[in-house]
Amino acid sequence: MEYFKLSNGFLVPKIGMGTNTFGKKDNDFHGEITGDTKELLSSYQNGYRLIDTAIMYRNEAVIGKSIKESKIGRESIIVTSKISARSPFIDSEETIRNYLDQSIEHIGEYVDIYLIHHPSADMETNLNLWRVLESYYDKGLFKVIGVSNFDEEQLKYLMDHARIKPMMNQIESNPNRFNHELIKYSLMHHCLPVAWGPLDPVPNKDVLTNIGSKYHKTWAQVLLRYQIQRGVAVIPKSHNAIRQKENIDIFDFNLTDEDIRKIEG
Ligand SMILES: NC(=O)c1ccc[n+]([C@@H]2O[C@H](COP(=O)([O-])OP(=O)(O)OC[C@H]3O[C@@H](n4cnc5c(N)ncnc54)[C@H](OP(=O)(O)O)[C@@H]3O)[C@@H](O)[C@H]2O)c1
């Protein structure tokens, strides 16, 4: 595995596993929680050590259960969770703390990376929630704190007013919406961009397939390689063990400048 180093020295795997439909009936985001850990256990077997969840996915306890079942050890798996800066999660400071404590209890002992899932339109609301995250960081209950879906203005406000600057910004990035400017801005401020939905939806797969044929790689591997090569971590999700293995096999080739021009085009 290769890693990106965050501003506080924490090492994050360049690729992790998305889980927003894991442990749920019919692999449906809104489906009933089944507690099934099959996809998580195959992720660990395939070498994934970064797992992305959130309060809103309702499956934090499934992640915690899978870590115990895997016997790999809590310290060897890096878990990201998130709280939205929206009601009901932020209705009072006590409510926020209850949600954060529950995340810790579900995942086990601490949460490696904790993000504000969705910004509020009100900058002060974001800052108030951020201050609670900072206090958990101070206590070592979170090892990294950051944001998700923040635009430049929202990120700048936190950078200017927070005691601890956000270390990560998880945002959508795929060929329909690469988010180049926001990625550039995040990188410039040492805030690691992480691409959610990196494979979905993908038009013009042929361009990527053609590039991949030179390296014996698939369109998905080309797209994931593109992101990590430009300094962006990725968290593709797959329920399928073969595709999980395929997606993580992206560390043995390099895209050329010409390939990158075609991908961005
Ligand atoms: N912060 C946020 O607001 C936010 C928003 C959305 C998502 N996320 C996180 O980001 C993760 C990833 O995003 P996502 O799940 O929306 O989309 P994604 O990972 O880009 O795409 C998932 C889809 O791609 C398919 N797939 C995976 N690998 C493939 C391959 N090698 N070839 C062909 N198809 C492949 C999967 O099908 P199979 O399962 O059949 O392989 C699945 O249908 C989520 O699970 C979640 O953890 C965060």
Side-chain angles (χ1 to χ4, degrees), residues 18-20 52 57 82 117-118 148-149 170 196-200 219-220 235-240 243 246-247:
T19 72
N20 60 2
D52 183 78
Y57 302 170
K82 323 180 193 83
H117 199 160
H118 309 99
S148 178
N149 301 306
Q170 188 185 114
W196 64 254
L199 300 176
D200 186 40
W219 65 268
I235 46 165
K237 171 194 68 186
S238 180
H239 286 270
N240 177 292
R243 286 192 282 282
E246 172 187 328
N247 294 347

Side-chain angles (χ1 to χ4, degrees), residues 93-105:
E93 186 172 331
E94 191 189 351
T95 309
I96 296 172
R97 289 185 183 275
N98 286 341
Y99 275 110
L100 299 182
D101 291 345
Q102 206 172 68
S103 288
I104 294 170
E105 194 185 317

Side-chain angles (χ1 to χ4, degrees), residues 9-249:
F10 190 93
L11 295 176
V12 183
K14 292 187 178 178
I15 182 166
M17 179 58 67
T19 72
N20 60 2
T21 51
F22 282 11
K24 298 180 187 181
K25 195 163 177 229
D26 300 329
N27 301 341
D28 174 9
F29 183 86
H30 299 288
E32 185 190 316
I33 297 292
T34 62
D36 188 345
T37 53
K38 181 174 86 256
E39 292 95 343
L40 286 156
L41 295 178
S42 65
S43 303
Y44 304 141
Q45 251 162 23
N46 283 318
Y48 291 84
R49 292 294 179 270
L50 170 65
I51 303 294
D52 183 78
T53 183
I55 295 173
M56 285 176 85
Y57 302 170
R58 300 173 291 122
N59 62 6
E60 290 172 303
V62 185
I63 313 296
K65 178 173 168 235
S66 75
I67 295 173
K68 287 192 186 122
E69 287 174 359
S70 76
K71 307 226 170 7
I72 293 173
R74 172 71 189 87
E75 69 290 347
S76 303
I77 297 176
I78 295 169
V79 182
T80 303
S81 194
K82 323 180 193 83
I83 182 169
S84 200
R86 296 181 186 167
S87 186
F89 306 106
I90 51 149
D91 287 355
S92 70
E93 186 172 331
E94 191 189 351
T95 309
I96 296 172
R97 289 185 183 275
N98 286 341
Y99 275 110
L100 299 182
D101 291 345
Q102 206 172 68
S103 288
I104 294 170
E105 194 185 317
H106 284 330
I107 291 163
E109 297 172 56
Y110 56 91
V111 182
D112 302 85
I113 303 173
Y114 217 97
L115 311 179
I116 298 182
H117 199 160
H118 309 99
S120 160
D122 174 43
M123 300 290 192
E124 283 305 304
T125 302
N126 293 331
L127 188 58
N128 286 338
L129 174 56
W130 182 256
R131 290 199 169 120
V132 184
L133 262 52
E134 285 180 331
S135 72
Y136 278 66
Y137 179 82
D138 288 339
K139 287 188 198 141
L141 294 169
F142 301 156
K143 312 292 177 196
V144 170
I145 49 177
V147 296
S148 178
N149 301 306
F150 272 46
D151 64 21
E152 254 185 66
E153 196 189 345
Q154 290 158 336
L155 200 51
K156 184 173 183 326
Y157 190 87
L158 265 199
M159 301 238 179
D160 289 347
H161 295 84
R163 182 166 55 82
I164 302 168
K165 293 194 194 318
M167 299 161 195
M168 180 179 277
N169 190 13
Q170 188 185 114
I171 52 172
E172 180 178 11
S173 184
N174 53 52
N176 266 349
R177 192 170 179 227
F178 270 129
N179 254 322
H180 291 309
E181 288 311 310
L182 186 53
I183 284 174
K184 227 163 54 190
Y185 182 84
S186 302
L187 285 170
M188 212 165 66
H189 290 87
H190 311 290
C191 178
L192 179 75
V194 178
W196 64 254
L199 300 176
D200 186 40
V202 177
N204 300 330
K205 283 200 184 98
D206 291 354
V207 175
L208 301 169
T209 303
N210 280 338
I211 295 170
S213 65
K214 290 191 288 181
Y215 310 106
H216 307 291
K217 296 288 176 184
T218 65
W219 65 268
Q221 289 169 318
V222 168
L223 204 47
L224 297 171
R225 176 74 207 178
Y226 162 70
Q227 297 284 12
I228 63 165
Q229 210 171 298
R230 67 172 176 158
V232 177
V234 286
I235 46 165
K237 171 194 68 186
S238 180
H239 286 270
N240 177 292
I242 294 166
R243 286 192 282 282
Q244 290 181 349
K245 195 169 175 184
E246 172 187 328
N247 294 347
I248 204 170
D249 181 19

